[in-house]
Amino acid sequence: MNEFELIDHFFKRSTSHPLIKLGVGDDCAIIDVPADQELVFSMDTLVADVHFFADGPAKLIAERALRVCLSDLAAMGAEPLCFTMSLSLPHINEDWLQNFSEGLFAVANEFSCALVGGDTVKGPLVITLQVHGLVPKAGALRRSGATVGDLVAVSGHLGSGAAGLAVLKNKLRGSERFPDFFRNSYFRPSPKITLGVLLRDYASAAIDISDGLLADLGHICRASHCGARLKLESLPIAPPIQQLVGEAQAMQWALCGGDDYQLCFTVSPDQVSALQDKLSAHGEEISLIGQITEGEGISCCLHGETYPFQHDGYRHF
Ligand code: ADP
Ligand code: MG
C-alpha cells in the first residue's frame, strides 16, 4: 500500500455538508463560511510516548486525539465543522491504521466534524489535528471577559483525567471495580460542545480544562486582569474517585491534574439562575466553585481555611 492508497482507504470519506465544497483528494479543501459567522480553529500535536502511549489501542488513541482537539472549539462556544490531520508514521501498519481510522471517524461522526484534508509522512509517530468550527460573528467565548464579582463555574467532574492516567500507569489500587469509568475518563473525554454553545449567551469568559483547574482558571485570570477565590468543598469529584482515594489526593487531581476537558467559565451573578434553567433543560451539569476577585492569583479555601496545593498544572518545558 502506498501513501495515496493509504489516504484513499483509511481517510477519504464522502461528506454531504453544504458548507464543505471540497474535501480530501485535491490540493486544498474548500469551505464556505456564511456571512454572519466566523471561522474558529485550533491545532493540537500529539507525539508518541510524550502525549500518548504508542503501544496503546489505536482506536482509542485516535478517539482521544480528536476529542481533545474538539474541546478547544467547545471552550470558544464554536460548533465543529471540519478538521485536517497530519500523520507522521514510522511504517504502514494496516491493522493499526484500520483501528485508528475507526476511532477517528466514530468521533468525527458523533460531532459532525468531517475530515477534509491533511498530510501523510514517514517519521516518528506524531498526530497533528486542526479542527475548524463556526460561531456567530463576534459571538465566541474568550478567556478575557471575566469581571470582579463574576461567579466561577465548572462543568461535569474534575480529577477524572488524572485518575484515569494513574490507572493506566497501574498507580491506583481498587480501580478494577470501575474499569470503564477510568478507561473512558482518560481515552474518551467528552468535548463540551453543547454546553459551549449554550454559554455563548451567558458566560463572560471560558476555557477548557486541559492542564488542571488552577492552571486554566489562571489563564482566565491573567487574560481578564483579575484574581479568583475558590471554595474547594464545592469541587465536583466523581464518585469512583471519592471512593478510592482520600480527599487530599482527589483535590490535588481536581486542581492540578489536567486532562479533564471540562469547561471552566465565569458568569455574572444576575445571569446565573437563567443559565441554570437553560442548562437543566439540556441536561448539562455545572458546579459553582468560587468568585472572581480583584488583584491577581487564585486562593483556595476548604471550609473557610486556606488550602495549600503543590503545583499549577502540566508544563512541557
Ligand atoms: P499535496 O502533495 O498536494 O500536498 P498530498 O499528496 O499530501 O497532496 O495529499 C493528497 C490529498 O490527500 C490532499 O487532499 C490531502 O489533503 C489529503 N491527505 C493527505 N494526508 C491526509 C491525511 N492524513 N488525512 C486526511 N487527508 C489527507
Ligand atoms: Mg499539491
Side-chain angles (χ1 to χ4, degrees):
M1 185 176 262
N2 67 33
E3 175 195 333
F4 302 107
E5 291 166 337
L6 182 159
I7 295 166
D8 271 2
H9 187 72
F10 294 113
F11 300 120
K12 189 170 179 172
R13 300 286 185 277
S14 61
T15 60
S16 56
H17 196 293
L19 297 179
I20 299 174
K21 303 297 179 191
L22 191 58
V24 171
D26 212 312
D27 289 306
C28 295
I30 304 177
I31 307 300
D32 192 8
V33 179
D36 58 346
Q37 301 204 285
E38 287 173 337
L39 189 63
V40 174
F41 50 93
S42 169
M43 179 180 277
D44 272 332
T45 301
L46 302 174
V47 179
D49 292 327
V50 177
H51 304 101
F52 63 94
F53 302 106
D55 60 356
K59 188 164 186 277
L60 292 180
I61 290 171
E63 273 214 35
R64 182 170 194 276
L66 186 52
R67 288 169 173 278
V68 164
C69 208
L70 287 167
S71 175
D72 285 317
L73 291 182
M76 303 297 287
E79 285 182 90
L81 175 60
C82 60
F83 71 107
T84 51
M85 174 175 69
S86 170
L87 261 189
S88 169
L89 301 169
H91 51 264
I92 295 180
N93 175 338
E94 292 188 26
D95 282 344
W96 191 92
L97 280 162
Q98 181 60 38
N99 288 319
F100 184 89
S101 156
E102 281 172 19
L104 192 72
F105 285 109
V107 180
N109 294 339
E110 180 181 344
F111 291 94
S112 305
C113 193
L115 180 59
V116 296
D119 202 12
T120 306
V121 298
K122 184 169 178 164
L125 181 57
V126 180
I127 305 157
T128 305
L129 298 179
Q130 184 168 37
V131 287
H132 300 71
L134 294 174
V135 288
K137 273 219 156 120
L141 298 167
R142 300 180 187 211
R143 300 176 178 185
S144 54
T147 53
V148 174
D150 283 354
L151 302 177
V152 178
V154 292
S155 61
H157 292 113
L158 299 182
S160 309
L165 186 59
V167 169
L168 282 182
K169 292 177 169 173
N170 291 319
K171 285 188 181 161
L172 185 54
R173 269 199 281 157
S175 62
E176 60 285 349
R177 281 160 51 203
F178 312 94
D180 291 343
F181 172 80
F182 289 107
R183 203 174 164 75
N184 286 340
S185 298
Y186 182 77
F187 280 118
R188 312 185 73 231
S190 299
K192 307 301 289 181
I193 300 290
T194 305
L195 176 62
V197 168
L198 294 171
L199 289 179
R200 288 200 299 237
D201 292 333
Y202 299 93
S204 49
I207 192 167
D208 68 320
I209 305 177
S210 52
D211 295 336
L213 175 65
L214 290 181
D216 291 312
L217 177 57
H219 292 309
I220 287 186
C221 289
R222 273 184 296 278
S224 303
H225 308 289
C226 58
R229 190 170 48 239
L230 296 181
K231 290 194 293 184
L232 300 189
E233 60 273 21
S234 304
L235 288 182
I237 311 273
I241 299 176
Q242 285 177 8
Q243 288 177 38
L244 292 186
V245 302
E247 185 178 63
Q249 177 67 83
M251 293 284 186
Q252 184 71 24
W253 278 337
L255 292 171
C256 307
D259 288 331
D260 282 323
Y261 302 101
Q262 297 294 338
L263 297 186
C264 173
F265 61 94
T266 57
V267 55
S268 157
D270 50 82
Q271 292 263 71
V272 82
S273 76
L275 171 63
Q276 274 172 325
D277 288 349
K278 184 99 176 186
L279 294 184
S280 53
H282 286 82
E284 297 286 336
E285 291 195 6
I286 61 162
S287 304
L288 299 173
I289 59 166
Q291 199 155 26
I292 294 295
T293 60
E294 283 177 6
E296 56 183 46
I298 302 168
S299 63
C300 295
C301 295
L302 182 60
H303 305 301
E305 300 208 1
T306 302
Y307 189 85
F309 47 83
Q310 280 161 21
H311 68 102
D312 65 352
Y314 182 76
R315 299 248 167 106
H316 290 273
F317 299 105

